Amino acid sequence: MHLKTLFHLAVAATVALGSSSALAQSAAEPAYGPELQGFDYPYPVEHYRFSSQGQELDMAYLDVKPATPNGQTAVLLHGKNFCAATWDGTIKALSGAGYRVIAIDQIGFCKSSKPERYQFTFQQLAGNSRALLASLGIAHAIMVGHSTGGMLAMRYALMYPEATDQLVLVDPIGLEDWKAKGVPWLSLDGWMQRETRVTADSIRAYERATYYADTWDASYETWCRCWPACIAVRAAPPWRQARRGSTT
């Protein structure tokens, strides 16, 4: 399958992030565990356990094998406001086209460990991802990244060019000079202050304005509920969320 076709599959499925596994919004906000316990993923969740920065960590991921393999593997890297489960539509499209699909929850996100002390860098997250793939015997793959995951996919390709068959970027960040556009630098303290103001309603408002063109559908609620910032409201310390949000 050509790169153009793969790109179209990824984009089409990502644009319709809320089109599958819909959950209607309820009056009471759900409460999940720190690793999203209680939030079901559309596929069985696997776990890669490893040591990093002097800590024992658990990285959750989905490994979806196609009915008719084409011999290629696509690795999906989520953005800051999403999880591996958000790729549901993309996984269906790619696995249906014969790809083995690996969708990773990065450390600090969703169903993976959220260490109290961790140096979040794109190099570290890329290294973690490479180690996970190596543990599965995957020597090379097509890397697909959305939003902040696009920055991670680019860093991965720079660090491991021999392990990157193709690089697919879906609405990535990191290709523009934010300072030139007037976006101010935000300190770690600034990130923490911003995280303390996050609420479930503010998450919906942000998603409505940023991802859904000022519209809202009940199916989008699924991704609001699994957004790690939602977890920050209920369980995780704001300082941890701030460090993760300021990944460099």
Side-chain angles (χ1 to χ4, degrees), residues 42-62:
Y43 304 94
V45 178
E46 309 291 343
H47 296 272
Y48 171 60
R49 295 176 176 85
F50 65 111
S51 178
S52 176
Q53 299 184 21
Q55 304 173 75
E56 296 302 314
L57 301 176
D58 184 320
M59 190 152 61
Y61 66 97
L62 306 177

Side-chain angles (χ1 to χ4, degrees), residues 2 8-9 29-30 46 56 81 93 99 127 176 184 188 190 199 227 238 244 248:
H2 295 297
H8 287 166
L9 283 170
E29 294 297 335
E46 309 291 343
E56 296 302 314
N81 302 327
Y99 293 88
E176 300 172 304
L188 190 59
T199 66
W227 185 352
R244 190 197 64 196
T248 58

Side-chain angles (χ1 to χ4, degrees), residues 6 10 74-77 87 94 142-146 149 153 168-170:
L6 175 66
V75 178
L76 310 182
L77 304 176
W87 290 104
L94 292 177
I142 299 166
M143 306 304 295
V144 183
H146 169 237
V168 180
L169 304 178
V170 183

Side-chain angles (χ1 to χ4, degrees), residues 116-161:
E116 291 292 337
R117 297 172 181 83
Y118 202 70
Q119 184 185 41
F120 286 97
T121 65
F122 286 111
Q123 290 93 332
Q124 179 68 70
L125 299 184
N128 295 348
S129 301
R130 182 73 205 109
L132 184 156
L133 295 175
S135 75
L136 297 174
I138 299 173
H140 53 88
I142 299 166
M143 306 304 295
V144 183
H146 169 237
S147 191
T148 304
M151 294 183 70
L152 175 55
M154 286 184 273
R155 186 57 55 88
Y156 183 99
L158 289 170
M159 292 173 63
Y160 309 106

Side-chain angles (χ1 to χ4, degrees), residues 87-128:
W87 290 104
D88 187 15
T90 307
I91 293 172
K92 285 184 173 68
L94 292 177
S95 61
Y99 293 88
R100 178 183 181 181
V101 182
I102 308 294
I104 303 172
D105 273 347
Q106 296 297 329
I107 292 299
F109 294 80
C110 307
K111 287 187 177 291
S112 290
S113 297
K114 299 173 181 63
E116 291 292 337
R117 297 172 181 83
Y118 202 70
Q119 184 185 41
F120 286 97
T121 65
F122 286 111
Q123 290 93 332
Q124 179 68 70
L125 299 184
N128 295 348

